[in-house]
Amino acid sequence: SFLYALRDGGVSLLTPWQTLTRDPPDEHGLMSLKGPTKKTYAAMQFWRFIRPGMVRIGVDVNGTLDAVAFEDAGLAKTAVVLLNRTRDASTVALRLSGRRLTTLESVHLTDATHDCAAVSGRLDPGALTLPPESIATLVLKTGAAA
């Protein structure tokens, strides 16, 4: 819901109505009485990396992924949130229009086995694979177009 509200609804502030749920958690609460839930970690993909002052920019995604992107021009950083709602892994290649990708600073992933966890190892912006039913945030360092 966060991705679609930010991308399609043009909202600038998103406040969850029900934040706490009993344990076991139901589908509405962001947190359970015993701590974070998968929904908490999915929401973290937004609130940890999309910071005040960032501006939403257009993003086109081919295939089955959904995406929203925000830019901090002063810091030359862009945060891209990618959502794979399918039951299959999906590969994405990053291409920036009007900007040059200088560094893929970080990738954080929430899926069945990761909770907004940093993805380590060699990160190839030309071929990133998102696991099934996952959400990932990519933080990019960008520069002027070459």
Side-chain angles (χ1 to χ4, degrees), residues 59 80 82 92-96 101 103-104 107 124-128 138-140:
V59 59
V80 180
L82 298 167
V92 62
L94 298 177
R95 289 183 221 31
L96 301 178
L101 174 62
T103 308
L104 178 55
V107 176
D124 180 3
L128 293 168
L138 289 55
V139 178
L140 317 171

Side-chain angles (χ1 to χ4, degrees), residues 53-65:
M54 292 182 103
V55 176
R56 186 171 58 86
I57 59 174
V59 59
D60 291 323
V61 180
N62 293 331
T64 59
L65 297 177

Side-chain angles (χ1 to χ4, degrees), residues 64-65 84 86-92 128-134:
T64 59
L65 297 177
N84 181 3
T86 71
R87 294 180 185 225
D88 298 312
S90 184
T91 301
V92 62
L128 293 168
T129 301
L130 271 66
E133 298 176 337
S134 66

Side-chain angles (χ1 to χ4, degrees), residues 7 16 35 42 56 76 113 135:
R7 187 190 69 192
R56 186 171 58 86
T113 59
I135 184 167

